[in-house]
Amino acid sequence: SSELTQDPAVSVALGQTVRITCQGDSLRSYYATWYQQKPGQAPVLVIYGKNNRPSGIPDRFSGSSSGNTASLTITGAQAEDEADYYCNSRDSSGNHRGVFGTGTKVTV
Amino acid sequence: QVQLQESGPGLVKPSGTLSLTCAVSGGSISSSNWWTWVRQPPGKGLEWIGEIYHSGSTNYNPSLKSRVTISVDKSKNQFSLKLSSVTAADTAVYYCARSYDSSGWDRSSWWVDPWGQGTLVTVSS
């Protein structure tokens, strides 16, 4: 299957921890990559690989994987973390297709 | 660092062809990366359109494959998107980006970074 499913929306109190999940068969073969998108802006890479953060991404963002589910955790959410979050991976069927998750709106 | 900039008409007539170009600066389009197009209809999620390697090898989203052509111009350090027979459903912000593939001992990885700022293309008469 080439679908990646995310919860449509989650909310978190300021300073608390929130976990966003992404489910799909391809995640048994691929680590999920995570992007943050704020209104009117291009997506920004926040987690890639097993649990890597690009330069400039705060260490309150972390990623994990188990079976067909990947998670993005924000530990100590800040007001500026309010955004849409998307996961992605390659399709694991071998056709090299890219797939994006359905997106999660995080409200802080 | 690498920067990408989309350009092209912001308005396309139904049944026409959408044409966009992505200029790559700060790096070579002949590097070992795929060059990618992603779109986002207003208020909706991200959709992968396709990608090209500097050799000219391409991969396309099966749902768009019959209408999409992605090409590369190494002399100009840019790549392009053409989408034919457009309808209102093709109205979206179109992003160009660079993508990476990496193979790990347990799982592989694929990520898209950086992204262009995006350009809104409206399909309307």
Side-chain angles (χ1 to χ4, degrees):
Chain A
S1 172
S2 57
E3 301 297 320
L4 293 176
T5 303
Q6 300 178 237
D7 290 331
V10 297
S11 60
V12 58
L14 189 67
Q16 297 304 299
T17 296
V18 62
R19 188 170 73 174
I20 306 161
T21 60
C22 174
Q23 284 191 304
D25 288 344
S26 63
L27 300 182
R28 297 185 185 278
S29 304
Y30 280 86
Y31 290 112
T33 299
W34 292 94
Y35 306 86
Q36 176 192 71
Q37 186 181 35
K38 296 181 179 179
Q41 298 182 18
V44 172
L45 178 68
V46 294
I47 293 289
Y48 67 99
K50 188 171 186 178
N51 182 21
N52 300 303
R53 286 176 288 105
S55 174
I57 300 300
D59 62 5
R60 62 179 178 270
F61 290 90
S62 63
S64 62
S65 295
S66 178
N68 72 336
T69 301
S71 300
L72 173 70
T73 300
I74 309 174
T75 304
Q78 302 298 303
E80 61 264 32
D81 300 334
E82 185 163 295
D84 293 326
Y85 291 84
Y86 293 91
C87 61
N88 82 352
S89 79
R90 290 283 192 194
D91 185 326
S92 57
S93 64
N95 59 18
H96 218 251
R97 174 190 165 197
V99 182
F100 283 92
T102 50
T104 298
K105 169 67 177 178
V106 172
T107 301
V108 179
Chain B
Q1 72 270 17
V2 170
Q3 293 183 310
L4 300 99
Q5 178 67 57
E6 306 90 349
S7 62
L11 181 64
V12 181
K13 294 186 186 304
S15 78
T17 296
L18 178 159
S19 296
L20 295 174
T21 296
C22 181
V24 179
S25 59
S28 172
I29 204 162
S30 295
S31 59
S32 300
N33 302 113
W34 289 86
W35 301 95
T36 300
W37 288 98
V38 175
R39 71 179 183 178
Q40 185 172 36
K44 296 188 178 181
L46 301 168
E47 180 180 31
W48 181 79
I49 298 171
E51 62 189 1
I52 190 164
Y53 202 69
H54 60 79
S55 63
S57 181
T58 54
N59 296 300
Y60 297 133
N61 189 325
S63 69
L64 299 170
K65 188 173 184 177
S66 63
R67 299 193 292 131
V68 172
T69 301
I70 299 175
S71 58
V72 65
D73 186 335
K74 289 187 282 188
S75 68
K76 294 182 179 179
N77 218 41
Q78 65 186 33
F79 62 108
S80 299
L81 169 70
K82 290 189 185 298
L83 181 66
S84 62
S85 305
V86 297
T87 69
D90 295 310
T91 293
V93 174
Y94 286 77
Y95 295 100
C96 63
R98 180 180 61 180
S99 65
Y100 294 85
D101 284 280
S102 176
S103 297
W105 67 271
D106 58 345
R107 285 179 168 89
S108 298
S109 302
W110 174 65
W111 63 96
V112 181
D113 181 69
W115 298 61
Q117 66 183 26
T119 187
L120 174 63
V121 179
T122 301
V123 178
S124 175
S125 55

